[in-house]
Structure formats: C-alpha cells, structure tokens
C-alpha cells in the first residue's frame, strides 16, 4: 500500500479535509482488515511528529486547519516563552508563564492559537507535548530543610526541579549536579527529580568543563567496546597496501597549527610541462579502521563531531586513532584517500581522479613556518626546509589563483579575527589573543575547498547518493532589511532585484578599509543562514558553489567518514543506492544537530573563560566596537580582548534613547546622539557574573570623543559598584578552522 511514511502522510493530508476517527481514516485509505493493526501503529507514530494531530474524541486532523501550531518551545529566564513553528512561514507563538502546561524549554509541542494582537503577534497555549528535550538537567543543588531543588544552569528552564529527601545523592549546598527528571511539571506541581551525579564545586576549573559537557549531553568517555576496537588496531601492513596508489616517494607534507596532534590532511603541488598545476589532497583513510556497524562507528555517529574547548578537546574518535594511526604523522606509512586535481593557469579544473592511496609525509609543517618561508623570506627557516621551499611557493601561487577565481564567482569572504584563549597551568585564562591567519592558513583552506567541491561533483557525475554541505540563500525578509540598511552608504540595490553572493561580495570589497566596513560585515552576516548537511543539493550560497561536500576531515566529522565510504563504493564498483538513500537523510539531520549542539557548547566554554578573565579586570577601561544593538542597550566587543559585554541604556544618563531597529542604532531624543552598530566607544568593565556568563560594561565616551589614548590600551579606574547584565554568547575560540 504505502511503502514509506512520507507516502502515508501525503495520503493522510489528502483525506483529512475534516477531523476523522481512526476507523474513518483506515476506511478512507482502503486499508485491508489484515493490515489495519499495522497502519494504526504507523498513523499514531506519524501523529507523534505533529504533522497530524490527535484531538479530543480520538479524532485526527491537520494542525494548520485547526488553529494549532506544531513547533519547539523556546523559554525565557523571566518565565514566558514562544513556540517556534516547524513551518518557517508561520510567525512565533507567544506563551505566557501560565500557558506552558507541562512543557519545558526545548520540548516539541502542539499549541493552540488563542488570540492575535493588533500588531499581528499571536498568543497561545500548549495543549500537548510531543517530544521531551530533557531527560536530565544540570544545575546547582539548593537545600531546603530535608529536601532540595536543582536550579538549572540553562536559564531558559525557568522552573526549578524538586528533589525529595531520599533522592539528593549526597549533594551538598551549592554543588553542581546532574538530576534525572522523574516527573515533568504540570499546572499544579513542579518537576520532580533525583540526583544521579554530583559534579563537584561549580568554581573548580575541571568541574566547570564537566558542567558544560553534562549540560549539552556530550559523550566524553568511550564505551568499552569502542575503546577496545581502537586499541586493537595496528599500523598498515603490506596486505593493507595492496591495490593502493603508492605515493610514498612524493614530497607530501602536512601543514597545521603548532599544538595540533591530529593531522587528517596532507598536500602537494606540482607544475606540469604545459603550465597546468597538479594538486594532490590526501586525507586520512579513517574508513579503513572504522568499519560500518562497528562499536567505533556507532559511537562516532552518536558524537557526530569533535568538540573543541579552550585547551582541550572531546574527540569523535579515540586518541589511538585520531592522534596516531589515522593521523598523517611524518616519516611513517599512512593509508589515505587522495583527490588529485589538475587546474589550468586560470584556476579551472580540467581533470581529477580519486584513489585509495598510501603516503609517507616528508615533513610536519606549521602555518608559522610555511608563512615564514613564503611571506617573510626567513633565512633560517628557509634553509632548514630548503628542499621544500619551491613547493611551498608553488602552493601559494596556485592558492592565489583559486582564491581569485572564487572571488570572481562571488564567494563571500568573512575573514574576521577569532580570539584564542591561553590558559595557565591551573586551567585559568591567562590571556586572550587574536588567532593569526596567514598565507599558509589561506592556502590550506583553498586546497580543502577545491577537494571538497571536486568530490561533490564526482558524486553528481556518478549519479550516486551523497551527503552535501549546503548553505541556503538568506531569508528574503532579512535581505530586504539589509538592502534598506546599505542604501544609507550609497549602495543602490533596487527593490525586487535578486541579491546574489556576487553582489554581496562586491559590497564587501567596496567597503574594505572604510570606517563602516565592520558595521556592514556584521549586518550582512546576521542576514545569513547556517550551513548544514543535506542529501538535497541546493548549493552553497556563501561559497558560490553549485555543489559542495565535506571530505577532508574524517577524523573529526562523521559526514566526512560517510563520504569516504561512498567514494569507496564507487572506486570498488559496489553501488548500494537503496541502502544509502534510506540512511543518508537521517544521518544528515543527526550530524547537523550534533554540530549545532557542539557549536553552542564551544561558545559556552569560551564565554566561561572570557568571564573568568574579565572578572579580574573590573574597573579597567577599553576601546571597543558596538557589536549589537537592542531595545535596552548595546553590546560592545573590546578591541584588546575580543570579549563582549552589555552597556545598558539605563546607564547612559545624558538623554532618553529610542531603538531604531532598521538602522541598528539607539538615538537620543534630545541630543540626537547615535550609538550604532560598528561605532567605536570607550567602555569600563562594571560587573562580571561567571555563573550567569554575563559581562556588564558602562560607557566612558564615544570613540570620536576620545583624546589621545592608544587603541585597546587598558586604564585602571576606580572600582565601580557592581550591576547585573544580560546573557549573550561570546566569540568563538580560534582552535579550529572556520566551518564551511
């Protein structure tokens, strides 16, 4: 009858012109009696997704036809919240603190629209929870007589978890704990839980990271079976090399940061007699060691990605693989998958082939050393690597060609500085520096982009199922707001004109070096959507590529490992279309979600260290740039530290300020003074709450009013009275390459 749930759902939507009982649905679908039990279960399963909703009386209907909204609850620390609809064309639904019913922040729910305000804002109430986001909650244990409460670190879970006297797990007042939710909240009672793990004192550096790991449900320990599999692997033998392209005599090198331990890519460039360039990108063959369906494979799938914190990492694969057997260490044989491409002097791909290979990296290079050879002409470094100097300069030459080619095609280049947090021996932040990006970083980035694009094209050419790295076009509403915004700077994009990545890159190029450059860049970035994995090749807007995938980091990204398995199928002529067609969409959704979760955990870890760093600097003054404007104040990023804090509008006493949303500014009613995104200001550190990840700044003066002080130079001031501040995510750490 209906082979897939997608087919069954389409049939349900066709017959549900009004709410129907299960008997009426089965009759309308003409389901034979012998199969009705099966189809009852399938229809109930579909209703759990919210696409079809079961209402009172046991009838089923379409939510959009019954004034219902299916979506995710987004809570607010003050107790109210919103339902973010699954259907992106619908507006958010406001929930008062009494309208949550049994729902919590993050839950998937069905809600009823109960009113629409004159401004179009919809208000409603949760009527059913479809899927729980939290089985456990991480927070601080607060004792109350014999029992206690867990106050969640996730402030959007605004209700505490009650802990009965016999379920405290020995936790002491103020300790960080993990609590399992035994009963979810209702209208008349709070959530009830039991403490399953005591993490320790919340201000212990080791515990602080454990809190983030537990809060974001990261898998820090490997199951015994997966760890055993990793330890039982061995270096490649002669048998393992059979049939592989032998590249061990080639001048192949790895280029990574000084502290890197997992080298998953190696490169070489050769100039051919006809003037073309031959680029080899050689990637660790993780699929040789991590077999389909193995304990290692299942664990890697659950993790989805490695997670990078300042000073530490939670790897996707055990260190026996990530830092040893799969790492392309120098002077040893390593199994690889190679994408070997030929480019003409104009940067066009004229030929390629993909092969299972074996390499022996001749040198472990660092970005600093390669840049010293190419840019600085450092005599000592050049002499040390004299046999490779010509290769590095040829690499830079080809990378420049590829970079210019991408720019001509409209690729967006947001080459923004990233802060890197340096920790002392106790794990506390010692300094915050800008992670350097030099010519070596850029050439590796170009080569990885080229290989990823070529592999994606190979799948399309072979007509084989694949997972792509896609980047949707920006939201039309946000793009229209951006178009209106940039008119003030003399960029006339007419209403209705299609705004392409090439037009946006053209604006960035024209703004380069101007005072408004950072302002324009920030506003443009906020109109962009997030890249994700998908089996539907819609292209990559930011890179201006018609097709793109992730092939180059299988040690730290699960989709790359899957891409290697797909390539192996094609190379060995073992096509498995049906299997991959069923698996890849679920994998793409799962790893996209894992990536977003890891990103948020990384941001929290960086914000934690930034708060710890700034807590020791209360009273100091810094130059900063306004990085965000909201109705009750503006966020400022300190130039010297790249740490962001909030200047509240109530702390500016010279006028009343109104929020200009389109202009990204606060404007004084009387003075007409503006505080606009991108403006330079001088701020003082007023208060820091490490627990809440909040930093408060106060305004000293606007940038044009400053007199003589050096850019970013701190000044010790009288320690002010402390105030609270709003929570806002900080900048990313500079520990891994930008995601594309």
């Amino acid at each position: 009858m209906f082979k897939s749930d997608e087919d069954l759902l389409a049939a349900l939507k066709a017959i549900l012109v009004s709410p129907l009982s299960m008997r009426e649905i089965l009759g309308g679908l003409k389901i034979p009696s012998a199969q009705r039990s099966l189809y009852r279960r399938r229809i109930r399963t579909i209703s759990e997704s919210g696409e079809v909703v079961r209402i009172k009386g046991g009838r089923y209907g379409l939510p959009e036809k019954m004034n219902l909204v299916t979506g995710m609850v987004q809570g607010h620390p003050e107790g109210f919240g919103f339902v973010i609809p699954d259907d992106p064309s619908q507006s958010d639904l406001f929930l008062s603190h009494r309208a949550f019913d049994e729902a919590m922040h993050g839950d998937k729910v069905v809600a009823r629209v109960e009113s629409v305000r004159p401004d179009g804002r919809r208000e409603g109430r949760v009527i059913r929870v479809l899927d729980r986001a939290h089985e456990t909650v991480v927070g601080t244990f607060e004792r109350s007589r014999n029992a206690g409460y867990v106050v969640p670190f996730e402030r959007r879970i605004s209700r505490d978890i009650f802990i009965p006297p016999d379920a405290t797990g020995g936790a002491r007042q103020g300790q960080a704990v993990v609590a399992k939710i035994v009963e979810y909240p209702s209208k008349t009672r709070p959530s009830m839980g039991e403490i399953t793990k005591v993490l320790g004192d919340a201000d212990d550096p080791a515990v602080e990271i454990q809190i983030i790991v537990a809060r974001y449900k990261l898998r820090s320990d490997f199951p015994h079976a997966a760890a055993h599999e990793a330890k039982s692997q061995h270096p490649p033998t002669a048998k393992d090399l059979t049939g592989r392209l032998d590249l061990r005599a080639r001048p192949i090198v790895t280029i990574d940061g000084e502290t890197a331990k997992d080298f998953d890519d190696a490169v070489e460039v050769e100039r051919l007699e006809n003037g073309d360039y031959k680029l080899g990108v050689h990637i660790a063959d993780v699929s040789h060691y991590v077999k389909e369906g193995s304990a290692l494979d299942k664990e890697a799938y659950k993790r989805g990605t490695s997670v990078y914190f300042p000073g530490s990492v939670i790897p996707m694969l055990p260190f026996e693989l990530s830092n040893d057997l799969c790492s392309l260490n120098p002077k040893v044989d390593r199994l690889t998958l190679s994408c070997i491409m030929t480019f003409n002097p104009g940067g066009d791909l004229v030929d390629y082939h993909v092969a299972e290979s074996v390499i022996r990296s001749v040198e472990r290079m660092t970005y600093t050393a390669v840049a010293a050879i190419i840019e600085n002409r450092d005599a000592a470094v050049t002499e040390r690597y004299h046999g490779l100097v010509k290769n590095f300069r040829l690499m830079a030459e080809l990378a420049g060609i590829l970079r210019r080619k991408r720019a001509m095609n409209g690729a967006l280049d947001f080459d923004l500085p990233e802060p890197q947090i340096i920790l002392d021996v106790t794990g506390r932040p010692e300094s915050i520096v800008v992670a350097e990006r030099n010519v070596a970083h850029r050439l590796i980035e170009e080569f990885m982009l080229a290989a990823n694009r070529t592999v994606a094209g190979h799948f399309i050419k072979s007509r084989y199922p694949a997972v792509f790295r896609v980047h949707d076009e920006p939201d039309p509403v946000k793009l229209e707001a951006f178009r209106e915004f940039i008119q003030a700077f003399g960029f006339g994009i007419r209403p209705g004109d299609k705004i392409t990545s090439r037009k946006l890159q053209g604006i960035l190029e024209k703004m380069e070096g101007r005072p408004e450059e950072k302002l324009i860049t920030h506003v443009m970035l906020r109109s962009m959507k997030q890249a994700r994995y998908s089996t539907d090749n819609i292209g990559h807007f930011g890179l201006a590529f018609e097709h793109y995938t992730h092939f180059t980091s299988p040690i730290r990204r699960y989709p790359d490992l899957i891409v290697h398995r797909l390539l192996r199928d094609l190379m060995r002529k073992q096509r498995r279309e049906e299997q991959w067609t069923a698996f890849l969409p679920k994998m793409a959704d799962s790893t996209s979600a894992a990536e977003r979760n890891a990103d948020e955990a990384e941001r929290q870890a960086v914000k934690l260290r930034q708060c710890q760093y700034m807590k020791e600097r209360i009273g100091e003054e810094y130059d900063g740039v306004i990085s965000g404007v909201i109705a009750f104040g503006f966020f400022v990023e300190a130039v010297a530290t790249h740490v962001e804090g909030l200047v509240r509008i109530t702390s500016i006493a010279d006028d009343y300020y109104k929020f200009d949303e389109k202009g990204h500014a606060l404007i004084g009613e009387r003075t007409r003074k503006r505080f606009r995104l991108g403006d330079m200001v001088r701020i003082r550190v007023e208060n820091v709450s490490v627990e809440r990840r909040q930093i408060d700044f106060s305004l000293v003066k606007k940038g044009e009013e400053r007199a003589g002080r050096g850019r970013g130079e701190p000044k010790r001031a009288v320690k002010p009275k402390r105030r609270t501040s709003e929570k806002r995510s900080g900048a990313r750490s500079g520990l891994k390459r930008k995601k594309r």
Side-chain angles (χ1 to χ4, degrees):
M1 294 285 296
F2 302 100
K3 291 185 178 180
S4 69
D5 286 346
E6 288 77 11
D7 293 339
L8 178 56
L9 177 60
L12 285 170
K13 289 184 175 181
I15 68 169
L16 287 175
V17 293
S18 63
L20 300 176
S21 67
M22 181 66 79
R23 180 186 295 273
E24 290 169 331
I25 290 173
L26 296 173
L29 296 177
K30 299 180 181 178
I31 305 298
S33 298
Q35 296 184 31
R36 291 200 169 194
S37 178
L38 169 64
Y39 273 84
R40 284 191 186 95
R41 290 196 297 271
R42 290 183 66 184
I43 291 168
R44 289 182 185 124
T45 299
I46 289 175
S47 72
E48 291 173 2
S49 72
E51 297 268 13
V52 172
V53 176
R54 186 173 183 268
I55 58 176
K56 288 183 179 179
R59 305 177 79 82
Y60 293 81
L62 302 177
E64 61 269 23
K65 300 289 187 181
M66 299 184 292
N67 215 29
L68 301 177
V69 174
T70 301
M72 186 192 75
V73 172
Q74 186 177 87
H76 188 277
E78 299 299 327
F80 61 87
F82 300 87
V83 174
I84 312 301
D86 291 340
D87 182 354
S89 67
Q90 296 186 24
S91 61
D92 297 347
L93 183 70
F94 176 79
L95 301 174
S96 70
H97 71 282
R98 292 176 178 158
F100 274 69
D101 196 42
E102 299 180 359
M104 298 170 64
H105 165 73
D107 289 349
K108 185 169 184 177
V109 301
V110 177
R112 177 179 292 111
V113 181
E114 296 192 330
S115 65
V116 180
R117 291 194 170 189
D119 61 2
R121 187 174 75 168
R122 303 189 300 171
E123 297 186 0
R125 175 179 297 277
V126 173
I127 64 170
R128 184 173 298 115
V129 176
L130 299 174
D131 188 30
R132 291 289 184 184
H134 307 281
E135 294 181 358
T136 59
V137 169
V138 184
T140 305
F141 179 67
E142 302 289 345
R143 185 168 292 281
S144 174
R145 294 186 181 179
N146 294 327
Y149 291 86
V150 171
V151 181
F153 289 124
E154 172 56 82
R155 295 178 62 215
R156 290 175 293 185
I157 301 176
S158 57
R159 291 183 278 189
D160 300 342
I161 314 298
F162 174 71
I163 307 296
D166 60 349
T168 61
R172 300 194 307 271
Q173 170 71 23
Q175 285 190 312
V177 299
V178 179
K180 179 182 177 182
I181 299 177
V182 177
E183 293 183 23
Y184 288 93
S186 70
K187 297 174 184 176
T188 58
R189 57 171 172 73
S191 299
M192 184 177 296
E194 60 182 17
I195 293 176
T196 58
K197 188 173 184 180
V198 177
L199 299 175
D201 295 330
D203 59 354
D204 183 326
V207 173
E208 289 164 339
I209 293 300
Q210 287 184 47
I211 291 169
I212 295 173
V213 169
R215 178 176 169 184
Y216 290 93
K217 300 177 177 61
L218 302 175
R219 303 171 68 87
S220 57
D221 298 323
F222 284 93
H224 174 76
H228 177 72
E229 282 183 6
K231 291 175 182 176
S232 65
Q233 304 287 355
H234 55 77
T237 63
K239 182 180 177 181
D240 295 325
L241 307 187
T242 303
R244 287 181 176 264
L245 180 63
D246 192 340
L247 301 172
R248 287 176 289 182
R250 302 293 305 170
I252 296 169
V253 298
T254 61
I255 305 176
D256 286 274
E258 277 79 359
T259 60
K261 293 183 175 66
D262 53 342
F263 314 130
D264 50 13
D265 57 80
V267 296
E268 64 166 328
V269 176
E270 175 187 0
R271 193 195 300 276
L272 303 180
E273 291 183 0
N274 64 356
D276 287 351
Y277 299 85
K278 189 175 183 179
L279 166 64
V281 174
H282 314 285
I283 307 300
D285 188 0
V286 177
S287 61
H288 175 83
Y289 297 98
V290 182
K291 304 299 184 184
E292 287 185 57
S294 66
L296 272 172
D297 184 40
K298 292 175 181 176
E299 183 65 16
Y301 184 18
K302 289 174 182 176
R303 294 182 179 223
T305 181
S306 296
V307 185
Y308 294 83
F309 296 140
S312 64
V313 60
I314 299 177
M316 185 181 79
L317 299 172
F319 289 123
E320 289 87 352
L321 293 180
S322 61
N323 289 6
D324 188 9
L325 287 179
C326 291
S327 184
L328 305 182
N329 300 327
K331 310 295 194 297
V332 293
D333 292 352
R334 285 293 181 258
L335 305 181
T336 48
L337 288 189
S338 296
C339 181
I340 301 171
M341 300 155 279
T342 303
F343 295 93
N344 64 24
D348 299 310
L349 180 69
V350 296
D351 193 18
Y352 76 90
H353 73 278
V354 183
E356 295 177 85
S357 56
V358 55
I359 71 166
R360 184 181 294 158
S361 168
V362 299
E363 202 67 65
R364 178 267 200 265
M365 299 298 300
T366 66
Y367 294 120
T368 303
V370 174
I373 293 169
I374 297 172
E375 286 185 322
N376 304 331
R377 307 278 175 161
D378 185 290
V381 180
T382 301
E383 175 60 27
R384 179 180 175 184
Y385 301 109
H386 67 275
L388 295 169
V389 170
K390 183 178 178 181
N391 303 54
F392 294 138
R393 290 179 179 156
L394 192 59
M395 287 181 189
E397 186 178 311
L398 174 59
I401 292 170
L402 296 177
R403 188 178 182 86
R404 288 190 293 273
K405 179 80 172 179
R406 284 199 306 114
M408 286 174 55
N409 291 335
L412 296 174
D413 188 8
F414 298 112
D415 200 2
L416 298 175
E418 295 188 23
Q420 184 172 354
I421 298 172
I422 310 300
L423 305 180
D424 63 20
V425 292
T426 69
R428 293 293 180 182
E430 185 175 67
S431 62
I432 301 178
V433 299
V434 175
E436 181 188 10
R437 272 182 55 79
N438 56 39
V439 64
H441 291 87
R442 290 190 287 272
L443 73 82
I444 287 297
E445 181 176 72
E446 289 302 326
F447 294 167
M448 298 306 111
L449 290 173
N452 286 333
R453 185 184 188 187
T454 299
V455 168
H458 182 61
F459 288 132
I460 293 170
K461 180 181 177 181
S462 304
R463 298 188 177 184
Y464 199 54
V467 59
F468 298 95
R469 181 69 169 178
V470 301
H471 185 215
D472 297 273
E473 293 187 359
D475 180 85
V477 175
K478 290 184 178 179
L479 269 186
E480 177 60 22
F482 176 72
R483 185 193 65 78
E484 293 179 2
F485 175 71
I486 61 174
Q487 281 183 330
F489 301 92
F491 296 105
I493 299 178
R494 292 176 298 180
D497 279 5
K498 184 175 179 60
I499 301 180
T500 63
S501 60
R502 180 177 294 180
K503 288 182 180 178
L504 295 178
Q505 180 59 28
I507 292 171
L508 291 177
E509 290 171 357
K510 291 176 182 176
M511 293 301 301
E512 189 172 358
R514 289 172 56 174
E516 302 88 357
E517 179 183 5
K518 193 163 187 177
L519 167 65
I520 296 290
T521 301
H522 271 276
V523 178
M524 187 184 295
L525 269 172
R526 291 176 184 184
S527 70
M528 298 288 124
K529 293 186 178 179
Q530 187 173 19
R532 57 188 172 85
Y533 297 105
S534 175
T535 55
D536 182 15
N537 178 35
I538 63 171
H540 197 294
F541 179 85
L543 294 173
F545 287 167
E546 292 183 0
H547 47 260
Y548 188 65
T549 191
H550 271 172
F551 155 74
T552 54
S553 294
I555 288 177
R556 63 181 179 90
R557 294 188 305 224
Y558 192 77
D560 301 54
L561 173 58
I562 294 300
V563 164
H564 281 219
R565 289 176 180 162
L566 294 167
L567 287 172
R568 192 186 299 278
D569 280 359
L570 292 174
M571 288 185 283
R572 297 182 178 183
K573 296 181 170 52
Q574 297 174 340
R575 298 177 72 101
R576 298 181 289 167
E577 279 91 343
E578 187 172 338
Q579 175 183 325
W580 289 121
T581 300
F583 173 72
L584 290 178
K586 293 183 289 186
M587 188 278 299
D589 290 344
S590 173
T591 50
S592 293
E595 178 188 33
R596 291 191 295 270
N597 186 62
D599 285 346
E600 184 58 33
E602 290 169 358
R603 280 192 289 269
Q604 284 296 314
V606 170
K607 189 67 176 178
L608 165 68
R609 298 309 187 200
Q610 289 176 328
C611 287
Q612 290 171 338
Y613 182 78
M614 297 304 286
K615 191 174 181 67
E616 302 301 317
R617 287 154 181 81
I618 291 176
E620 289 186 1
E621 294 181 9
Y622 295 90
D623 289 340
V625 61
I626 296 178
S627 55
V629 183
I630 49 181
F632 52 84
F634 52 85
F635 293 95
V636 176
E637 182 181 298
V639 173
T641 64
H642 289 275
V643 173
E644 194 176 56
L646 176 69
V647 175
R648 290 181 177 275
I649 197 171
T650 51
S651 69
I652 309 173
D654 64 346
D655 203 347
Y656 295 107
Y657 286 86
K658 289 189 175 180
F659 179 41
D660 176 10
E661 186 174 5
K662 288 185 177 180
H664 299 265
L666 291 171
I667 304 173
E669 287 186 355
R670 178 179 54 81
T671 62
R672 308 307 295 170
K673 183 189 292 185
R674 289 173 177 262
F675 294 99
R676 189 174 63 170
L677 191 69
D679 283 353
M680 292 296 298
V681 292
R682 183 107 179 142
I683 50 86
R684 178 186 296 116
V685 183
E686 288 284 348
N687 183 50
V688 177
S689 171
V690 176
E691 297 77 17
R692 293 174 177 264
R693 310 289 194 265
Q694 297 170 351
I695 300 173
D696 263 349
F697 292 154
S698 63
L699 184 70
V700 177
K701 56 183 69 175
K702 284 204 70 176
E704 63 268 20
E705 298 171 354
R706 290 187 318 229
R709 196 172 308 282
R711 181 178 175 89
E713 178 187 347
K715 171 187 171 183
R716 175 65 65 180
V718 177
K719 191 171 183 178
K721 183 178 178 181
R722 297 187 177 187
R723 301 175 183 172
T724 60
S725 89
E726 285 293 313
K727 176 181 179 182
R728 182 173 170 88
S729 294
R732 294 174 55 86
S733 83
L735 291 182
K736 58 179 178 175
R737 295 182 194 132
K738 291 189 294 183
K739 293 179 180 177
R740 296 285 194 167

